[in-house]
């Protein structure tokens, strides 16, 4: 089981304020905490997790903790070392979900399939040993996913950039066809999408905030959104998305929002 709404920790600082933010997020109701080694804040994310468990009288199993292996640590041995560091930083014995943060791609790596499979074999070993409860990938498109589909364990999750104005239909269809859970990072599109006239007008009709409308749109696409917020009010508001439903017509209307240049992926990943 995985919570249907997560809290992202990207760009939270490497200082005690991040632990405070994690505590506030858990108090607000978040149970999925999404982190990564590349965010360079896992020690304070871990501190926040342990404080939040104590302050809210929660069991460890009440939280779902995610981390990711960065692209400079691809490969079996490197991944194993990176995982050990993450677990030491978080001070955890078991991780709920571990992801390959970015795929190796043919434009940059001739043996990209072998690199991805070798990295994936490390995640399979971690899963089979019980140190990780679930394994998956991040930013993988169907071309990269296919290389992993004949392995002993197929990906359980694909975390992709997902928000109005960004077409990910091909990846959505592939994942849904193979029972791969989809998580959406940057669901609010760096915040620009919050000012879209269509989003503002539809949110007003439903009596909700634009961010709440977009997060609900994600959920109705069967995508787990991972919003990030440090403002206490925004933290709370983003959890209040379960008492309304978007009509099919409004889903299509939001789907039709045009892609804009600054909504794109990491340039390294484009057109792969």
């Amino acid at each position: 089981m995985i919570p249907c709404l997560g809290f992202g920790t990207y760009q939270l600082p490497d200082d005690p304020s991040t632990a405070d933010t994690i505590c506030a997020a858990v108090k607000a109701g978040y149970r999925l905490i999404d982190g990564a080694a590349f965010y360079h804040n896992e020690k304070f994310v871990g501190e926040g997790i342990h404080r939040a468990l104590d302050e809210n009288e929660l069991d460890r199993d009440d939280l779902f903790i995610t981390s990711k292996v960065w692209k400079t640590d691809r490969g079996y041995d490197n991944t194993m070392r990176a995982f050990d560091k993450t677990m030491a930083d978080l001070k955890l014995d078991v991780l709920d979900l571990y992801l390959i943060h970015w795929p190796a791609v043919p434009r940059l790596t001739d043996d990209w399939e072998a690199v991805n499979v070798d990295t994936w074999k490390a995640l399979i070993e971690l899963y089979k040993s019980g140190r990780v409860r679930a394994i998956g990938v991040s930013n993988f498109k169907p071309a990269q996913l296919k290389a992993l589909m004949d392995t002993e364990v197929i990906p359980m999750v694909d975390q992709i950039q997902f928000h109005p104005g960004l077409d990910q239909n091909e990846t959505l269809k592939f994942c849904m066809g193979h029972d791969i859970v989809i998580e959406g990072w940057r669901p609010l599109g760096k915040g620009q999408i919050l000012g879209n006239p269509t989003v503002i007008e539809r949110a007003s009709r439903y009596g909700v905030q634009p961010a709440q409308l977009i997060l609900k749109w994600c959920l109705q696409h069967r995508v787990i959104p991972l919003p990030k917020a440090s403002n206490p009010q925004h933290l709370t508001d983003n959890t209040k998305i379960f008492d309304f439903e978007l009509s099919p017509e409004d889903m299509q209307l939001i789907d039709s929002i045009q892609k804009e240049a600054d909504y794109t992926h990491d340039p390294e990943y484009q057109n792969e």
Side-chain angles (χ1 to χ4, degrees), residues 23 47-59 63:
C23 288
E47 180 182 317
I49 288 167
H50 292 288
R51 276 178 47 198
L53 291 173
D54 290 340
E55 291 174 6
N56 295 279
E57 298 183 351
L58 297 173
D59 295 328
L63 297 184

Side-chain angles (χ1 to χ4, degrees), residues 15-27 33 41-56 58 63 65 89-90:
D15 64 41
S17 68
T18 285
D20 295 337
T21 300
I22 297 298
C23 288
V26 173
K27 184 176 181 180
I33 307 298
N41 58 13
E42 288 197 305
K43 288 185 179 180
F44 289 104
V45 169
E47 180 182 317
I49 288 167
H50 292 288
R51 276 178 47 198
L53 291 173
D54 290 340
E55 291 174 6
N56 295 279
L58 297 173
L63 297 184
I65 312 301
D89 287 345
L90 294 174

Side-chain angles (χ1 to χ4, degrees), residues 89-260:
D89 287 345
L90 294 174
K91 292 184 171 60
L92 294 176
D93 296 322
V94 178
L95 195 65
D96 296 288
L97 177 64
Y98 199 44
L99 307 177
I100 301 176
H101 204 147
W102 284 94
V105 294
R107 181 169 60 84
L108 299 174
T109 310
D110 290 338
D111 59 344
W112 64 276
E113 285 187 319
V115 170
N116 288 335
V117 170
D118 197 38
T119 308
W120 185 242
K121 286 180 179 178
L123 268 66
I124 290 176
E125 179 61 30
L126 292 168
Y127 172 66
K128 291 173 64 178
S129 71
R131 299 185 72 192
V132 178
R133 293 185 174 122
I135 53 176
V137 296
S138 179
N139 301 302
F140 275 56
K141 293 184 179 180
Q144 292 97 38
L145 283 166
K146 288 174 183 176
L148 307 182
M149 299 308 290
D150 292 330
T151 60
E152 185 179 358
V153 180
I154 70 169
M156 302 168 188
V157 172
D158 190 5
Q159 184 180 123
I160 60 175
Q161 185 177 359
F162 188 80
H163 53 72
L166 178 61
D167 183 1
Q168 291 274 38
N169 286 335
E170 183 183 2
T171 302
L172 291 182
K173 290 178 182 178
F174 185 92
C175 289
M176 290 178 183
H178 291 86
D179 293 325
I180 299 172
V181 173
I182 306 159
E183 294 182 324
W185 61 269
R186 194 174 287 163
L188 306 179
K190 288 187 177 180
Q192 304 101 318
I193 198 69
L194 298 178
N196 181 278
T198 296
V199 171
I200 292 173
E201 190 273 333
R202 290 292 126 169
S204 178
R205 288 198 178 198
Y206 284 92
V208 299
Q209 298 295 322
Q212 293 169 324
L213 184 88
I214 295 167
L215 296 175
K216 188 65 173 188
W217 172 84
C218 292
L219 282 179
Q220 289 187 217
H221 272 299
R222 295 172 58 193
V223 174
I224 298 170
L226 305 171
K228 178 180 71 71
S230 54
N231 180 290
Q233 189 60 53
H234 293 167
L235 274 173
T236 301
D237 288 346
N238 288 347
T239 67
K240 296 179 179 179
I241 57 175
F242 301 103
D243 58 353
F244 68 99
E245 193 84 4
L246 302 183
S247 70
E249 294 77 16
D250 285 334
M251 288 292 293
Q252 291 179 3
L253 186 63
I254 299 170
D255 288 347
S256 70
I257 291 174
Q258 294 297 304
K259 180 178 179 179
E260 298 186 19

